[in-house]
Amino acid sequence: MSTEAPVSSARSVTNIDSMLKEKRVFKPSAKFTREARIGSFKKYKKMHKASLKNPDKFWGKAAEELSWFRKWRKVCVWKPPFAEWFVGGKLNASVNCLDRHLEGPSRNKAALIFEGEPGDVVTLTYQQLHREVCLMANVLKKHGVKTGDRVMIYLPMIPEAVIAMLACARIGAPHSVVFSGFSAEALKERTNDCGAKVIITADGGFRRGTALAVKRNVDEALLGTPKVKAVIVVQRTKQDVNMAPGRDFWLHDEVQKVSAVCKPEALDSEHPLFILYTSGSTGKPKGILHTTAGYLLGCHLTTKYYFDLRPEDVYFCTADVGWITGHSYVAYGVLSNGGTSLIYEGAPNFPEPDRFWRIIDRHKVNIFYTAPTAIRSFIKWGDDWLARHDLSSLRLLGSVGEPINPEAWMWYHEKVGGKRCPIVDTWWQTETGAHMIAPIPGATPLKPGSATLPFFGVDAAVVDDNGEETAPNVGGKLVIRRPWPSMLRSIYGDAARYRKTYWSEVKGCYFAGDGARRDKDGYFWIVGRIDDVLNVAGHRLGTSEVESALVSHPDIAEAAVVGRPDELKGQAVVAFVTLKNGVPHSNNLKESLRAHVAKEIGPIAKPDDIRFTDALPKTRSGKIMRRLLKEAAASPTGDIKGDITTLEDLTVLAKLKQTEE
Ligand code: WT7
């Protein structure tokens, strides 16, 4: 995601976007409301208002929920665009996630439940996890890692991924997790950018029945990372790997040589906790820098309020630790609340498309957090896969990563949630650290497709190019008008880029890069990335609304819409659509889809060109790569020449070329 290419738009994002007529409202059930932390909409509104009136009071009180070595002197020091939170305080994130749960009965409660792709299960109680973290922290120290030194983590979704993050946090070594599906090149570039001297990795991981060669990528990356002195290797698959003497060490050997006692460092509130790279659509990846206290508080509070997390819950988030979701809502937020975090190593359709439902049934999962892209795959695979499993343990569902199309929302609500679970649609970003806009379950009435309203202390708005708030249902730029604790502090090593990317587009505001509108109730509707907004005959259309209209057709599983330069209209609308399994391609269907969009939104949004495809090009985190589709749309043969290094499945490009009958 990038906000660097300035958007020259004299108009606001749209003048017809309010035409997507989503009228359904779902009030929280009486049962959920009775038991929820915030049991009424009125209470949410009151708390939100008070939090904006006196943010220091709100955040100061909230921060008392964390464990501190020394209390802060000042809640926030704001020298735009640089913020410091809880100045003068000292704490340790691993103590908040582990040590403080060792005092009572939660000591023997499951902190992590791991299910490997082959079906193996490992459960670590808080006490056991604490021990593993201390051991790994001591291994890092033994290899010369000191407070402030950066450590790379390049691991599959195995318990050691969480252990490694917390071990780094314990000794104050900022971690930088790189998704283990990324290439050697990506690992090399990120390692050099942050100057790490140790890498924690594994021999491999299981994915779709085969053992991925993770260590081999590290070996390749290491040819160009002069600063790396040691590689700590977790044995997961037992495949043959190259171990360079004096540089590569097996974790299971190293832990034999260290103590299981590791005193946590008392770190400043603003001590860097991690750097997470997000690949901009242009330029080199940005190292998003998060610091200790503010980030942890953001994760802690949002987990508590948005997931209504209870000690007895089993919480399953399907995100990889390589993404911010895996940091905030697999590790830090859940463990800081003393919750039970379930992680799964492999593919959602291995050995069959019901793997997640099998996991939910097997471990009696109560809270399930996934992405719209996954939901649309489940829809494509068919409902039969769900019917085979008992999903009645679920009590809350979450969504993250993209706008969820209202029809996908309805499916999630009915088929997965059995109509009883609130769906918490969470809008946020790597940069925001924690949820920013989302419904409070038990309090906020839900509207399918809307992330609803902002979190406490979050001053979100939709503004035009002059920074003025737009009228209801008029789209504009989604901005945050004041600092919040879990905000990024900078782009690692490039403060100028930080200022330019996030704080220069709209005066005095953080601009998120997303287009949105607010409806008459103040609810936020994300209409897509500003860079992707279509301009058809002078009308500006958010991609997500046209896509949602397509997905509401009964034969469609997924759709992506892009503009193609058109002499007459400025842009023509090109739609790439994936049909549900078993639905045949036909020209009739194309016509009926065009008519359907005209009915749902208006004739202006009618796709000029519809292309059927078996799959859409996506990033590894599931976001549709519209940039590639734009190229394919503009070329009569469907050719794509752009940068495809972040593409999840390379065969998709070939498939796109074969879309036309
Ligand atoms: C971008 C941030 C935040 C964790 C995962 C992705 C889009 C995210 C939603 C949502 C509509 C959403 C936005 C945002 N996005 N959640 N609930 N509704 N759009 O993190 O890779 O930093 O991406 O994802 O466009 O800016 P990320």
Side-chain angles (χ1 to χ4, degrees), residues 534-541 563 569-573 604-606 608:
L534 308 166
N535 193 334
V536 184
H539 295 277
R540 293 178 63 82
L541 286 172
K569 299 202 286 182
Q571 277 183 328
V573 179
I604 187 79
K606 230 160 59 173
D608 298 274

Side-chain angles (χ1 to χ4, degrees), residues 223-505:
L223 298 174
T225 54
K227 284 208 178 131
V228 175
K229 295 285 172 280
V231 181
I232 311 296
V233 188
V234 178
Q235 192 171 42
R236 165 65 184 148
T237 58
K238 303 210 161 84
Q239 62 193 293
D240 278 340
V241 290
N242 160 53
M243 295 290 282
R247 185 197 73 188
D248 300 349
F249 303 88
W250 287 111
L251 178 69
H252 58 261
D253 290 337
E254 294 302 289
V255 293
Q256 303 295 325
K257 303 173 196 160
V258 297
S259 141
V261 179
C262 177
K263 196 166 160 275
E265 293 293 326
L267 301 166
D268 284 338
S269 292
E270 285 296 332
H271 187 80
L273 181 61
F274 65 84
I275 299 157
L276 180 61
Y277 287 87
T278 123
S279 40
S281 52
T282 55
K284 77 176 185 104
K286 301 189 277 274
I288 304 300
L289 175 71
H290 282 287
T291 58
T292 305
Y295 170 79
L296 191 64
L297 181 61
C299 297
H300 177 86
L301 274 199
T302 49
T303 302
K304 175 175 147 181
Y305 287 123
Y306 282 140
F307 296 132
D308 193 46
L309 190 70
R310 308 267 157 191
E312 63 274 25
D313 283 330
V314 175
Y315 162 95
F316 175 24
C317 168
T318 66
D320 191 277
V321 281
W323 318 122
I324 188 70
T325 311
H327 287 58
S328 304
Y329 300 109
V330 167
Y332 291 107
V334 190
L335 298 174
S336 147
N337 279 283
T340 298
S341 188
L342 187 149
I343 61 175
Y344 166 60
E345 176 183 32
N349 54 353
F350 186 84
E352 295 201 280
D354 61 349
R355 186 60 185 266
F356 285 174
W357 321 128
R358 197 176 281 281
I359 291 172
I360 290 170
D361 193 352
R362 181 178 187 189
H363 301 279
K364 299 290 169 247
V365 170
N366 307 101
I367 301 174
F368 179 60
Y369 190 31
T370 195
T373 177
I375 297 169
R376 292 187 303 258
S377 300
F378 307 144
I379 297 175
K380 180 169 150 65
W381 294 333
D383 300 355
D384 292 352
W385 294 108
L386 287 95
R388 302 176 181 198
H389 302 281
D390 176 9
L391 305 181
S392 63
S393 57
L394 290 172
R395 66 178 193 88
L396 187 147
L397 303 174
S399 172
V400 60
E402 287 172 274
I404 177 165
N405 319 108
E407 285 320 307
W409 194 101
M410 289 305 298
W411 183 92
Y412 197 28
H413 175 67
E414 286 170 10
K415 300 288 168 17
V416 182
K419 298 189 183 162
R420 73 184 175 276
C421 305
I423 297 180
V424 179
D425 177 2
T426 57
W427 178 85
W428 60 298
Q429 307 175 298
T430 305
E431 291 87 342
T432 70
H435 301 149
M436 299 295 276
I437 301 178
I440 304 270
T444 312
L446 306 173
K447 300 186 189 185
S450 169
T452 78
L453 295 162
F455 189 58
F456 306 124
V458 172
D459 185 11
V462 175
V463 301
D464 63 19
D465 295 320
N466 304 318
E468 303 288 333
E469 263 191 273
T470 59
N473 287 321
V474 174
K477 292 171 182 158
L478 175 55
V479 296
I480 313 293
R481 297 188 286 201
R482 60 173 90 180
W484 64 101
S486 64
M487 66 190 262
L488 78 163
R489 296 304 190 262
S490 191
I491 293 174
Y492 187 74
D494 199 346
R497 191 178 179 198
Y498 162 73
R499 186 191 289 274
K500 179 167 175 283
T501 308
Y502 304 107
W503 298 92
S504 65
E505 185 110 5

Side-chain angles (χ1 to χ4, degrees), residues 394 529 626:
L394 290 172
R529 304 290 298 167
R626 288 196 183 70

Side-chain angles (χ1 to χ4, degrees), residues 23-335:
K23 291 267 156 41
R24 290 168 284 204
V25 179
F26 293 82
K27 290 240 166 76
S29 74
K31 180 174 184 297
F32 205 98
T33 294
R34 210 166 36 241
E35 292 159 7
R37 287 209 168 79
I38 299 180
S40 81
F41 197 28
K42 215 168 122 193
K43 183 165 173 203
Y44 155 77
K45 287 194 208 157
K46 205 172 140 202
M47 283 175 74
H48 186 254
K49 203 166 158 196
S51 72
L52 288 191
K53 197 159 167 226
N54 193 343
D56 281 12
K57 187 171 160 206
F58 173 80
W59 291 117
K61 180 142 188 353
E64 285 169 16
E65 292 189 27
L66 299 182
S67 300
W68 298 83
F69 292 118
R70 191 172 80 201
K71 200 180 161 172
W72 60 92
R73 288 191 315 274
K74 196 150 177 21
V75 172
C76 179
V77 175
W78 178 224
K79 293 189 190 121
F82 299 97
E84 287 180 64
W85 285 86
F86 307 107
V87 180
K90 282 193 187 287
L91 78 171
N92 185 292
S94 88
V95 168
N96 278 277
C97 291
L98 299 168
D99 305 51
R100 63 173 174 159
H101 308 307
L102 301 184
E103 276 147 35
S106 54
R107 158 190 327 143
N108 294 318
K109 168 193 153 78
L112 270 189
I113 300 175
F114 163 73
E115 180 166 319
E117 198 188 63
D120 49 325
V121 170
V122 173
T123 301
L124 290 172
T125 64
Y126 272 92
Q127 193 152 253
Q128 291 167 330
L129 183 61
H130 176 260
R131 182 183 153 83
E132 297 302 322
V133 167
C134 290
L135 285 167
M136 192 169 323
N138 282 335
V139 169
L140 292 173
K141 280 191 184 172
K142 176 172 173 273
H143 286 278
V145 178
K146 304 218 158 47
T147 300
D149 290 346
R150 278 80 59 208
V151 172
M152 302 309 287
I153 299 177
Y154 186 67
L155 284 168
M157 271 308 272
I158 55 178
E160 286 79 1
V162 176
I163 294 167
M165 287 198 270
L166 294 174
C168 289
R170 196 160 189 88
I171 61 175
H175 54 70
S176 184
V177 183
V178 174
F179 173 54
S180 65
F182 273 162
S183 64
E185 185 60 31
L187 175 62
K188 185 183 87 184
E189 190 180 6
R190 288 156 173 77
T191 306
N192 289 336
D193 188 78
C194 72
K197 57 180 188 185
V198 170
I199 300 182
I200 305 174
T201 189
D203 50 357
F206 293 109
R207 184 94 190 169
R208 292 212 170 83
T210 52
L212 300 174
V214 176
K215 175 65 166 57
R216 208 168 61 203
N217 283 344
V218 177
D219 294 341
E220 203 183 316
L222 282 169
L223 298 174
T225 54
K227 284 208 178 131
V228 175
K229 295 285 172 280
V231 181
I232 311 296
V233 188
V234 178
Q235 192 171 42
R236 165 65 184 148
T237 58
K238 303 210 161 84
Q239 62 193 293
D240 278 340
V241 290
N242 160 53
M243 295 290 282
R247 185 197 73 188
D248 300 349
F249 303 88
W250 287 111
L251 178 69
H252 58 261
D253 290 337
E254 294 302 289
V255 293
Q256 303 295 325
K257 303 173 196 160
V258 297
S259 141
V261 179
C262 177
K263 196 166 160 275
E265 293 293 326
L267 301 166
D268 284 338
S269 292
E270 285 296 332
H271 187 80
L273 181 61
F274 65 84
I275 299 157
L276 180 61
Y277 287 87
T278 123
S279 40
S281 52
T282 55
K284 77 176 185 104
K286 301 189 277 274
I288 304 300
L289 175 71
H290 282 287
T291 58
T292 305
Y295 170 79
L296 191 64
L297 181 61
C299 297
H300 177 86
L301 274 199
T302 49
T303 302
K304 175 175 147 181
Y305 287 123
Y306 282 140
F307 296 132
D308 193 46
L309 190 70
R310 308 267 157 191
E312 63 274 25
D313 283 330
V314 175
Y315 162 95
F316 175 24
C317 168
T318 66
D320 191 277
V321 281
W323 318 122
I324 188 70
T325 311
H327 287 58
S328 304
Y329 300 109
V330 167
Y332 291 107
V334 190
L335 298 174

